[in-house]
Amino acid sequence: MKPRLPPIGNAWSKLPRIVRDLSHELGKKIDLVMHGAETELDRQVLELIKDPLTHMVRNSADHGLEMPEDRVASGKQQTGKIVLEAFHEGGHIIIKITDDGRGLNSEKIKKKVVESGLASEAELEGMSKQQIQNFIMRAGFSTAEKVTNVSGRGVGMDVVRSNIEKIGGTIVLTSEEGEGSTFTIKIPLTLAIVSALIVECCGERFAVPQTSVVELVRASTNNNSDHTIEMINGSPVLRLRDHLLPLVHLNEIMRLETAADEVADRSEVKGSEEFIIVIQVASFVFGIVVDRVFDTEEIVVKPIAPILKNLSIFSGNTILGDGSVIMILDPNGIAAMSGDAVVNSDDASKEEASQARTQDEKIALLVFRAGGKDPKAVPLSLVARLEEIDVGTIEEANGKKVVQYRGQLMPLTTIDDDIEIKEEGRQPVLVFSDQDRTMGLVVEEIVDIVEDQLDVEMISDIDGYVGSAVIREKATDIIDVGYCLSKCFGSWFGDAETRPFGDNGGKQKVLLVDDSPFFRNMLVPLLKTAGYDVSTAENGAEALKKRDTGETFDIIISDIEMPEMDGFTFAEEIKGDDRWNGTPIVALSSHTTPGDFDRGRAVGFSDYIAKFDRDSLMSALSQTLKECGSAK
Amino acid sequence: MTASNMQDYVTVLIADQLFGIPVLEVHDVLRGLSLTKIPLAPPEVAGALNLRGRIVTAIDVRKRLGLPKLEDDENSMSIVVEHQGEPYSLMIDNVGEVLSLDLNELQPSPVTLNSCWKEISGGVYRLENKLLVLMQIEQLLNFADNSTIAA
C-alpha cells in the first residue's frame, strides 16, 4: 500500500508565473529550472514550505540575479538561472534553491551586522564565511540597498528559517561571491513517510521503522526451535548464527509488565514463542523481544506532543489504517536506553559492565599469523587493502624490500626482523596506507576477520605490539601499525617528512584523553607518526591536573564515556576556564547519536568523530588546527 | 456593568469541584474514545487518541490535581483544548453548562490551596451555591518541566 501524497510540484506550480512576472518587473531575464517535482511529501509540510519557497525564489530573483548588462559584464550568460531541486536522501527531504547570480557579499553583510549591532567586529573576525552569510537569516536583516516592492524589507529570511525550523528542518546557505548562492533545506523524516513494522507487546502496539530492522527471528524459551533465548546473569542473549546477540525485552524497557498482568498471563497461554526484531543502530546490533509481529505499513510520521519531547524512545506517532494511534519506536533511543540500563543498574556486576562495553566497543579485527604460532590481530579499519604478492616481484632498494604496487614503490616489512619472507610462491600482505604513502606488512596467513570487543589485557613493551587480548578464546597479539609505519618511513624520509602539519617546524601538541588503555596505545603511535606531540590522560580529572600544572596544548581529543569525569563535563570545565578555553576539543565516541552530537556542540566540542575512524580523526585534527590557526 | 467584562465559561466537574474553562479555548467535547497508552510518559499523560485525523494527547486532570482515579471511568468526558498549536484532551468527570460571569467578580485563589491546585487556579468565582475555580490551561499543561520523567 502506498499512501497518496502530494508531490512537491504542487507547491512549485505557481513559481514559473511569479518568476515571469518578476522578470518583467525587474527587467531581468530569468530561467527557472525545476528538478524532482514528483518528490512526494507530507501535505502538512507542503503547506508549511509553500510560502517560504516562494519567498526564497523571489529573493533569488531580486537579490541574487544581476541585471542582464551586469551579467554580461561579468562574463555570464544574459539569462540568469534559478534551479529548484527536490529529492529524498537518508531519511530526509532535501530541497535546494540555487541561483547563479552575484552571490553574497561577505563584506557588505559584515558592515550591516556591525551597524545593526548583531555582533561586534571582533566577533566577526572569528567567524567563517558561512557563519557570516547566515546572518541574513536573522530578523530585520537586509542587505538590499533599496527597498523594492519585491523584497528588501528585511522581513523574510528569518521568517523562512523559523517556518522551516518549526517543522524540525534546517536551512543552510552557501554562497560564493560572483558565482551564486545555494539554499539547502533539509526536512527530517518526522513528517515524511516511512515503512514501519507493527509489533505488539503487552497488548500495546508499536511501530518500528523498517530501515533499522535487519531481520526477524522466532525464538522459543524451551528448546523446541533453532533459536533459544539464553541468559547470562539475567541478561537475555541469543545465539544467532556466529554472533551472540544482546536482547532487550520491550515490555521491560517500556515498564509495561506491571501494568499488564493479565496480558502476561495470556502470553503464557499463548506459548513459549517470542519474536525478536534484530535492530541495527550504527554498528550496534541488538534484538528487541516482542510478543507478536504484524504486518508492515506505510506510515506518516507525526511529531509527538511537545510535553513528551524528552521521551527519546519514540521518534513520533501516527494514526494507523484502523484509526488507532500508535507510537513509533526510535531504535537509537532504545539502544541508548538499554546500554544505560546495563551500566546504571545497581548490582552492575563485572559481567554486565563488560557486556555494556562489548556493545560499545565492538570492533572488527583482522586476525593473521606471522612468526610464531600465536595469532596476531590488527583493527580492520586501519588496513587499507589485503593483497597477495608474488615473492618473485620483491625487489631491493636502499637495503629495503620493496615491491612495485600501483605504480609506486611500496616498502615491505615484517613484524619481527627475524621473520623470513618465503623464497618462492605467493605471500599475503596487509597494505596500510597513510595519506599518499603505502606500506605492506608481510604475513604468513590471513586467518579471519572477527568482530569482537577489544580489551587489551596485557600492555606490551616490545616495539611493534600494542599488547595482547583474548580474541576467539585465544591470546592474540595486537600489532602496532604506527610502529610499522614509522619503521618503514622513519628512516626513508627522515622525521621532517612525516610531519605534514608542522608548517612552523614545531610539533603541534595534542592531549589525548581516553580511559581505555587500548585506544591510548592505538592512537598515540598513529598521532605520533602523523607528526603530533602527544600527551595522554586517563580521564577528564587527570587532564585538568595537567592544566593546573600550566601545560598547554594545541588541541585536545577526548573520549565521551569515561569514569570520574565524562567528556561533556570535561569540555564544560575547559570552556569555563580561560586557561584552556581557546583550545579546540575534538570528541571521540563509539556511539554518536544526534543527541550526543548536539550536546557535544553545545558544550564546546569543535568536532565529533566516531572511534576507529582514523581518516576522519586525522582530517578533523588538521582541519580544526588550521581553522583556529587562521582565527588567531 | 459593561458587556466587555463578561466572560463565558464551560463548567466542568472534577471530583465534585466545579471548574471553569474559557469557552473560546474549548474546541471539542468528547466521550469515550479509545486511548493509546504512552509508556514512560509522565503520569499525567493518559495517552494519545485520534480525533478526526489529528493526534491528541490526553491529560489525566485528576492525576494532575493529585486526585484519585475515577472509579467508573466509562462515562468520563474530555474537553479538547489547544495549547501552542497542539491539541490536548483534558479528561474530566463531567461537563456542565456554559456560564457567563463578570470578570470583576473574580476573586484571587485562596493562599491555603494545595500547591498544584494553586498553580492551575486563575481565581475563584463565588456562585450562588458553589465555588467555581478558573482553570488555567497553560499552567495545567506545564507539568513536563517540574515532574521527574522516567529515564
Side-chain angles (χ1 to χ4, degrees):
Chain A
M1 190 192 96
K2 206 168 185 279
R4 260 187 296 170
L5 287 165
I8 195 166
N10 289 5
W12 290 355
S13 54
K14 284 195 192 119
L15 294 176
R17 172 65 190 265
I18 290 170
V19 170
R20 207 162 52 236
D21 287 351
L22 276 176
S23 66
H24 282 300
E25 212 172 300
L26 301 164
K28 293 177 181 176
K29 287 186 178 170
I30 307 166
D31 192 5
L32 181 70
V33 186
M34 303 193 280
H35 296 298
E38 69 288 345
T39 311
E40 292 177 337
L41 78 172
D42 193 2
R43 193 178 295 276
Q44 213 182 336
V45 184
L46 188 74
E47 287 304 319
L48 276 164
I49 60 161
K50 213 177 211 169
D51 291 340
L53 276 181
T54 314
H55 179 87
M56 287 166 73
V57 169
R58 290 171 83 101
N59 248 353
S60 293
D62 190 21
H63 301 304
L65 298 177
E66 314 91 322
M67 298 304 284
E69 51 270 31
D70 297 338
R71 290 184 64 87
V72 174
S74 53
K76 290 180 187 174
Q77 284 198 335
Q78 223 179 24
T79 312
K81 210 174 182 183
I82 298 174
V83 184
L84 266 173
E85 239 181 309
F87 51 93
H88 286 149
E89 186 190 88
H92 287 84
I93 292 168
I94 314 270
I95 304 165
K96 277 187 177 176
I97 298 155
T98 313
D99 68 67
D100 66 346
R102 60 170 79 92
L104 286 171
N105 185 331
S106 300
E107 291 307 316
K108 217 152 115 189
I109 296 171
K110 272 191 199 170
K111 225 175 93 192
K112 272 274 174 180
V113 170
V114 177
E115 271 174 30
S116 51
L118 288 170
S120 69
E121 264 178 69
E123 281 172 315
L124 285 175
E125 281 305 304
M127 286 186 190
S128 69
K129 201 166 100 188
Q130 200 176 354
Q131 278 173 310
I132 290 168
Q133 287 171 346
N134 280 298
F135 264 108
I136 67 156
M137 284 185 256
R138 292 285 193 91
F141 197 87
S142 174
T143 51
E145 261 123 77
K146 58 176 191 285
V147 173
T148 67
N149 61 352
V150 180
S151 49
R153 297 148 199 264
V155 280
M157 283 319 290
D158 62 312
V159 179
V160 168
R161 193 179 66 168
S162 67
N163 258 350
I164 286 163
E165 283 176 355
K166 211 192 295 175
I167 51 173
T170 55
I171 175 165
V172 177
L173 160 70
T174 49
S175 178
E176 207 55 57
E177 193 173 356
E179 316 238 311
S181 324
T182 304
F183 289 93
T184 309
I185 300 171
K186 197 169 172 184
I187 301 165
L189 195 70
T190 42
L191 281 148
I193 314 137
V194 286
S195 171
L197 187 69
I198 313 295
V199 301
E200 190 187 80
C201 176
C202 296
E204 297 287 331
R205 286 189 294 173
F206 299 96
V208 188
Q210 196 125 46
T211 45
S212 44
V213 177
V214 184
E215 59 181 316
L216 291 172
V217 181
R218 192 156 69 176
S220 66
T221 38
N222 47 36
N223 290 318
N224 294 340
S225 146
D226 291 350
H227 298 288
T228 310
I229 298 177
E230 292 167 75
M231 297 294 229
I232 303 175
N233 191 25
S235 313
V237 291
L238 179 80
R239 284 186 219 203
L240 182 64
R241 292 183 286 277
D242 51 348
H243 287 287
L244 202 56
L245 189 74
L247 298 179
V248 289
H249 281 275
L250 192 58
N251 58 346
E252 280 168 24
I253 296 183
M254 297 291 176
R255 307 213 184 121
L256 278 173
E257 75 271 73
T258 47
D261 285 335
E262 313 161 35
V263 187
D265 290 343
R266 235 192 303 146
S267 71
E268 262 170 45
V269 177
K270 196 185 66 198
S272 50
E273 224 177 43
E274 271 172 318
F275 290 92
I276 295 162
I277 319 165
V278 183
I279 299 270
Q280 178 156 22
V281 176
S283 61
F284 173 37
V285 181
F286 66 104
I288 301 177
V289 185
V290 298
D291 297 344
R292 284 172 79 190
V293 174
F294 298 97
D295 207 357
T296 58
E297 268 192 54
E298 298 271 336
I299 53 173
V300 176
V301 184
K302 302 192 177 192
I304 50 175
I307 49 170
L308 300 172
K309 275 280 148 67
N310 2 22
L311 287 183
S312 64
I313 55 164
F314 299 120
S315 58
N317 51 15
T318 193
I319 296 172
L320 287 183
D322 63 1
S324 56
V325 178
I326 188 168
M327 304 302 294
I328 302 163
L329 297 177
D330 182 356
N332 286 306
I334 294 178
M337 199 163 197
S338 49
D340 276 359
V342 181
V343 179
N344 292 343
S345 67
D346 294 334
D347 53 353
S349 56
K350 269 196 174 165
E351 283 96 329
E352 279 179 313
S354 71
Q355 197 193 347
R357 284 177 70 100
T358 319
Q359 296 165 356
D360 282 351
E361 297 186 356
K362 228 173 193 182
I363 74 170
L365 292 165
L366 180 82
V367 182
F368 60 92
R369 275 189 297 130
K373 277 196 207 130
D374 302 329
K376 302 195 168 37
V378 63
L380 189 62
S381 54
L382 301 175
V383 182
R385 280 177 296 276
L386 300 178
E387 295 284 347
E388 215 167 51
I389 54 160
D390 192 339
V391 183
T393 60
I394 299 179
E395 297 166 72
E396 290 244 342
N398 196 13
K400 294 241 178 198
K401 290 199 165 56
V402 294
V403 64
Q404 291 179 23
Y405 182 72
R406 298 194 177 185
Q408 279 187 317
L409 279 185
M410 177 171 80
L412 295 179
T413 185
T414 51
I415 297 172
D416 292 327
D417 290 332
D418 49 333
I419 297 172
E420 288 289 316
I421 295 176
K422 274 191 273 181
E423 292 292 312
E424 56 185 26
R426 299 181 75 81
Q427 188 97 31
V429 171
L430 316 184
V431 179
F432 299 103
S433 119
D434 181 40
Q435 297 181 4
D436 52 349
R437 295 167 305 182
T438 51
M439 175 209 101
L441 180 71
V442 182
V443 300
E444 281 167 12
E445 187 194 359
I446 292 167
V447 181
D448 201 358
I449 291 170
V450 189
E451 202 162 309
D452 204 348
Q453 169 206 357
L454 232 191
D455 249 339
V456 179
E457 303 189 357
M458 279 158 48
I459 309 296
S460 166
D461 36 354
I462 309 169
D463 285 345
Y465 294 96
V466 176
S468 309
V470 178
I471 296 167
R472 285 267 175 97
E473 298 170 0
K474 272 192 171 168
T476 307
D477 294 329
I478 312 291
I479 66 154
D480 178 354
V481 179
Y483 171 79
C484 297
L485 276 172
S486 64
K487 192 169 145 192
C488 270
F489 292 103
S491 50
W492 263 38
F493 301 112
D495 276 336
E497 279 292 320
T498 57
R499 210 184 287 151
F501 309 102
D503 47 357
N504 50 4
K507 281 189 177 184
Q508 306 267 27
K509 288 180 77 179
V510 177
L511 175 63
L512 177 67
V513 189
D514 196 316
D515 60 312
S516 140
F518 170 69
F519 280 106
R520 291 204 306 273
N521 283 305
M522 201 71 238
L523 287 173
V524 168
L526 283 174
L527 293 168
K528 277 190 176 154
T529 17
Y532 295 103
D533 181 5
V534 193
S535 307
T536 58
E538 246 175 65
N539 52 46
E542 200 179 297
L544 291 177
K545 269 183 215 152
K546 283 187 189 291
R547 178 181 71 181
D548 294 337
T549 58
E551 282 188 62
T552 56
F553 296 93
D554 293 305
I555 190 163
I556 299 164
I557 305 168
S558 172
D559 191 12
I560 298 297
E561 297 101 34
M562 289 184 291
E564 284 193 51
M565 181 185 278
D566 71 4
F568 294 122
T569 330
F570 174 56
E572 275 163 8
E573 281 282 332
I574 286 180
K575 294 293 166 194
D577 184 293
D578 54 33
R579 274 172 293 180
W580 276 8
N581 76 20
T583 314
I585 318 171
V586 174
L588 206 59
S589 179
S590 34
H591 49 90
T592 45
T593 65
D596 284 347
F597 195 90
D598 291 343
R599 192 171 161 209
R601 293 267 177 192
V603 299
F605 282 115
S606 325
D607 214 330
Y608 208 100
I609 300 160
K611 273 184 183 174
F612 320 118
D613 192 350
R614 192 172 61 106
D615 288 346
S616 9
L617 175 64
M618 288 306 172
S619 65
L621 276 183
S622 61
Q623 192 62 36
T624 315
L625 282 170
K626 217 180 281 165
E627 268 172 28
C628 51
S630 57
K632 268 172 199 166
Chain B
M1 190 171 72
T2 53
S4 63
N5 277 336
M6 297 306 283
Q7 174 89 8
D8 290 341
Y9 295 102
V10 175
T11 59
V12 301
L13 204 63
I14 302 165
D16 291 328
Q17 173 62 54
L18 211 54
F19 287 87
I21 301 173
V23 75
L24 292 176
E25 292 195 32
V26 176
H27 286 231
D28 267 290
V29 179
L30 311 172
R31 186 194 287 271
L33 280 178
S34 69
L35 276 184
T36 299
K37 280 189 203 132
I38 305 175
L40 304 182
E44 292 89 344
V45 174
L49 56 94
N50 170 10
L51 176 66
R52 296 189 288 272
R54 285 188 86 182
I55 295 174
V56 180
T57 312
I59 308 293
D60 189 339
V61 182
R62 278 177 161 256
K63 195 84 169 237
R64 176 73 179 97
L65 295 173
L67 293 170
K69 234 179 142 60
L70 187 64
E71 271 166 31
D72 170 34
D73 57 0
E74 291 284 297
N75 290 319
S76 76
M77 300 181 85
S78 297
I79 279 192
V80 179
V81 295
E82 218 161 280
H83 175 57
Q84 292 176 353
E86 279 290 320
Y88 294 93
S89 149
L90 310 177
M91 295 164 67
I92 41 123
D93 297 1
N94 220 331
V95 179
E97 54 193 335
V98 175
L99 296 178
S100 204
L101 299 170
D102 189 347
L103 276 176
N104 296 330
E105 282 172 26
L106 184 68
Q107 312 255 325
S109 17
V111 285
T112 49
L113 224 54
N114 176 315
S115 67
C116 61
W117 282 65
K118 205 155 51 188
E119 231 180 292
I120 68 147
S121 161
V124 177
Y125 278 110
R126 288 178 300 164
L127 304 186
E128 267 174 47
N129 42 12
K130 269 191 172 172
L131 294 173
L132 180 140
V133 178
L134 181 58
M135 198 184 266
Q136 299 192 88
I137 304 298
E138 199 178 326
Q139 266 69 29
L140 182 78
L141 296 173
N142 181 28
F143 55 81
D145 307 331
N146 39 33
S147 71
T148 47
I149 287 152

